[in-house]
């Protein structure tokens, strides 16, 4: 799991000093890896709908200097274009309006910044034929939920298979 998370973070092309918004951190499983990459000069903000999850982030990663915000991914409480990177893994499948959320992610990212999102979902090309695929689809319908389309306001779209094919990550660049 830890190696899978490090691999996911490696796709974000992070550097020291960057400013990142992470949405839906849950209990904060990515925060240490994000902070390691952006260093003390970088700024890490994590936003979640659940106060309970934000409390868990505080307990687990209170020493990491993460700014925690209570909010909804579909209505981000941020002005335009403040971020160099946007990241969310596991959360998109829960949104009522994933299309609106993704447009919000792009709105708050600077031109040329990288926006990334992903969730559970079999990688493109797999069908629900194997035992594992049938089992996971029954356990969590998120695996077979249609993925949100990638808006035309971004370029350099890449899709990665993560967590051994049980998840996906899209990365793209906001058009200048
Ligand atoms: C499955 S957890 C993901 C945790 C973590 N990112 C991970 O990979 O393990 C999903 C998180 O999405 C949050 N969430 C659900 N709907 C949301 C919304 N509309 N806005 C922000 N966060 C939301 C939940 O509170 C929960 O913390």
């Amino acid at each position: 799991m830890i190696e899978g998370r490090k691999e996911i973070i490696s796709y974000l092309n992070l550097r020291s000093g960057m400013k990142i918004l992470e949405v839906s951190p849950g209990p904060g499983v990515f925060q240490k890896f994000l902070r390691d990459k952006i260093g003390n000069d970088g700024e890490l903000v994590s936003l979640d709908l659940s106060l309970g999850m934000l409390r868990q982030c505080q307990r687990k990663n209170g020493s990491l200097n993460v700014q925690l915000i209570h909010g909804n991914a579909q209505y981000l409480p941020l002005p335009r274009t403040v971020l160099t990177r946007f990241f969310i893994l596991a959360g998109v499948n829960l949104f009522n309006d994933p299309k609106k959320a993704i447009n919000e992610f792009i709105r708050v990212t600077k031109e040329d910044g990288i926006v990334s999102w992903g969730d559970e979902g079999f990688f493109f090309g797999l069908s629900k034929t194997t035992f594992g695929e049938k089992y996971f689809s029954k356990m969590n319908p998120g695996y077979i939920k249609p993925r949100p389309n990638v808006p035309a306001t971004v370029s350099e779209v890449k899709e990665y298979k993560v967590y051994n094919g049980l998840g996906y990550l899209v990365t793209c660049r906001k058009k200048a």
Side-chain angles (χ1 to χ4, degrees):
M1 204 67 167
I2 288 180
E3 285 314 308
R5 289 187 182 129
K6 281 190 179 164
E7 182 195 342
I8 288 164
I9 296 300
S10 74
Y11 297 136
L12 307 183
N13 198 13
L14 295 174
R15 291 189 299 280
S16 175
M18 283 185 162
K19 182 162 179 169
I20 308 176
L21 172 63
E22 177 200 28
V23 160
S24 301
V29 295
F30 282 102
Q31 288 169 340
K32 180 176 177 340
F33 304 123
L34 293 166
R35 174 55 75 195
D36 283 350
K37 291 280 182 190
I38 62 173
N40 289 333
D41 294 342
E43 208 175 318
L44 175 56
V45 180
S46 293
L47 175 145
D48 203 290
L49 193 59
S50 158
L51 279 174
M53 287 297 178
L54 293 173
R55 278 190 207 104
Q56 287 197 46
C57 291
Q58 179 62 33
R59 269 199 297 274
K60 182 180 161 77
N61 295 325
S63 61
L64 290 181
N65 189 17
V66 182
Q67 193 183 334
L68 301 174
I69 301 185
H70 185 219
N72 187 329
Q74 293 151 127
Y75 306 90
L76 292 176
L78 296 175
R80 264 189 101 237
T81 64
V82 288
L83 310 163
T84 35
R85 294 288 184 270
F86 177 92
F87 171 63
I88 171 170
L89 194 85
V92 175
N93 285 343
L94 300 172
F95 300 155
N96 298 329
D97 190 345
K99 184 177 167 198
K100 177 165 176 45
I102 286 169
N103 282 321
E104 277 291 87
F105 306 162
I106 296 166
R107 177 182 69 78
V108 298
T109 303
K110 284 183 178 171
E111 290 174 355
D112 244 22
I114 290 185
V115 184
S116 59
W117 65 87
D119 214 320
E120 294 120 351
F122 300 127
F123 198 64
F124 293 119
L126 288 182
S127 62
K128 284 197 303 160
T129 49
T130 68
F131 171 76
E133 287 160 10
K134 282 184 182 151
Y135 174 79
F136 280 113
S137 316
K138 278 222 150 76
M139 292 282 288
N140 180 346
Y143 282 103
I144 48 173
K145 227 177 162 173
R147 285 182 209 170
N149 291 330
V150 179
T153 45
V154 297
S155 61
E156 297 179 34
V157 181
K158 294 179 191 153
E159 286 164 0
Y160 299 95
K161 174 162 69 171
V162 300
Y163 292 146
N164 294 322
L166 293 176
Y168 72 96
L169 182 80
V170 172
T171 67
C172 52
R173 195 177 288 281
K174 180 167 172 174
K175 282 182 187 167

